[in-house]
Amino acid sequence: MRRAIRLISLWEALLVALLLGAVVLGSSLSPYFLNSNNLSNVLSDLSEKSLMILSMLLIIIVGEIDLSVASILGLSSVVLGDLWMHNAPLAVCIAAALAVGTLAGFINGLLVTALGLPSLVVTLGTLALYRGCAYIVLGQLAVSNFPDGFTTFGFGSIPGTLIPWPFVIFVVLAVIVILVLHGSWIGRQLYTIGNNQVAARFAGIRVARIKLILFTISGFISGLAGVIFTARFSSARADNALGFELDVITIVLLGGVSIFGGRGTLPGVIIALFVVGILRNAVALADFPTETQSIIVGGLLVLSVLGPNAIVRLQNWLTRKRVFATLITYVQRSRT
């Protein structure tokens, strides 16, 4: 346990250094980077991803993955836009979008738990399935005539501050997740499942039910992100948030969450969220091509997989070295 805590602390310290480096890079690339309005834009651009990393964190900790989160976002956005286009009340449109997202997540969880299929394969398939459904519902159309109150929430800020309203939702949900994950018996069960599912079952933990709930929550949060995305851009399109799943997974893994499950913390993931957001903003201000952003995110994804493993190996080597040195000292003392 102590070694795990040291590992987490070391990786998070490296993430803080990487975050500071990103800030320095951004300020050197553009004089507008440290402008308060631009920093508010960074928070606004992270609105949907910040929500989806919360559910992705929980799913990866139990040893699964959800590649369909961005497609569920797009499908929820399309359902909201299509109903609004057909003159449904806005409250009904939002409720339907959340319901569709929740149902999509439930289907993912059912395929994984009831049929025993790998979540990687299941959600890779539903990634294409849900996006295809979005194109069937709305095609190439874009719905944009939403009411002012709805769109104001999407890109507006708390009065007297530059903090976007959608980011407040993330803060509230993040507090709930950190209390559940790091301060309750539910969190301990999630880590147990990620470390050893067989042992978790023998311990009486309902592994399948928990996974089903987590995938359902992931669908709901992706649906909520779809509502916020629609409000923020005042547009419902089938291609909304295309490719967002890569950023979400990169952020979670970069935050120190093990791809094999059983290890990771929310604070590390939040730091990684700002690292990715600031780097994307910095290269956008410098007018770098989109391919450069893809290279950066891809590089961070590779780093997120290699970095923690390298630290674990280093700590194991240091531990063996200390044990060997202690053994030699003991032998030498016994001879004298």
Side-chain angles (χ1 to χ4, degrees):
M1 177 62 69
R2 289 181 179 178
R3 191 173 72 178
I5 293 174
R6 286 197 300 269
L7 169 63
I8 293 170
S9 299
L10 177 57
W11 184 249
E12 289 177 355
L14 292 174
L15 284 177
V16 171
L18 184 59
L19 177 61
L20 294 176
V23 172
V24 172
L25 176 64
S27 59
S28 63
L29 289 176
S30 172
Y32 305 105
F33 174 77
L34 293 178
N35 182 278
S36 57
N37 288 323
N38 180 62
L39 295 179
S40 178
N41 288 336
V42 172
L43 292 180
S44 183
D45 288 340
L46 291 174
S47 297
E48 299 81 22
K49 295 173 187 175
S50 64
L51 293 177
M52 292 189 289
I53 65 171
L54 298 176
S55 55
M56 187 69 75
L57 164 68
L58 301 177
I59 287 178
I60 294 182
I61 280 180
V62 299
E64 303 293 347
I65 196 167
D66 188 353
L67 299 175
S68 66
V69 289
S71 295
I72 296 176
L73 186 160
L75 179 58
S76 300
S77 173
V78 160
V79 168
L80 191 159
D82 185 66
L83 289 175
W84 177 255
M85 185 173 60
H86 288 87
N87 302 316
L90 183 61
V92 173
C93 299
I94 294 174
L98 296 177
V100 167
T102 304
L103 177 60
F106 177 78
I107 292 173
N108 285 343
L110 204 60
L111 292 173
V112 171
T113 58
L115 300 182
L117 300 175
S119 57
L120 177 66
V121 177
V122 168
T123 57
L124 183 61
T126 54
L127 177 152
L129 173 64
Y130 296 150
R131 186 67 69 176
C133 290
Y135 277 103
I136 290 175
V137 172
L138 207 57
Q140 299 294 335
L141 296 177
V143 180
S144 58
N145 59 332
F146 295 102
D148 292 339
F150 181 61
T151 55
T152 298
F153 168 78
F155 58 78
S157 301
I158 298 175
T161 73
L162 292 174
I163 301 175
W165 279 113
F167 203 77
V168 176
I169 298 177
F170 162 70
V171 172
V172 173
L173 293 179
V175 170
I176 295 173
V177 170
I178 201 167
L179 291 176
V180 171
L181 185 61
H182 301 300
S184 74
W185 58 270
I186 298 176
R188 292 191 292 272
Q189 287 191 350
L190 298 184
Y191 283 110
T192 302
I193 293 172
N195 282 308
N196 193 324
Q197 293 191 30
V198 176
R201 290 192 182 96
F202 278 113
I205 299 175
R206 298 181 176 181
V207 176
R209 177 180 293 185
I210 289 175
K211 288 185 178 181
L212 178 59
I213 292 173
L214 291 181
F215 275 104
T216 305
I217 291 174
S218 178
F220 172 80
I221 289 182
S222 296
L224 177 60
V227 173
I228 292 175
F229 192 98
T230 306
R232 197 160 65 87
F233 289 94
S234 188
S235 176
R237 294 172 52 95
D239 60 352
N240 276 356
L242 192 65
F244 269 31
E245 61 276 342
L246 178 61
D247 273 22
V248 172
I249 294 172
T250 298
I251 290 166
V252 173
L253 297 184
L254 183 64
V257 180
S258 173
I259 189 62
F260 303 108
R263 190 180 75 232
T265 66
L266 181 56
V269 173
I270 292 176
I271 298 172
L273 171 70
F274 288 111
V275 170
V276 173
I278 286 175
L279 285 176
R280 276 196 175 277
N281 177 263
V283 297
L285 284 178
D287 202 23
F288 284 16
T290 306
E291 292 78 10
T292 302
Q293 297 187 35
S294 300
I295 291 172
I296 291 174
V297 174
L300 290 176
L301 182 57
V302 173
L303 175 64
S304 66
V305 175
L306 296 179
N309 291 332
I311 292 177
V312 169
R313 291 184 180 183
L314 176 61
Q315 291 194 331
N316 288 338
W317 178 78
L318 292 174
T319 300
R320 289 195 297 269
K321 186 176 179 181
R322 285 195 297 268
V323 170
F324 184 68
T326 302
L327 180 60
I328 292 177
T329 302
Y330 175 79
V331 172
Q332 289 175 345
R333 289 179 178 177
S334 63
R335 288 179 178 179
T336 57

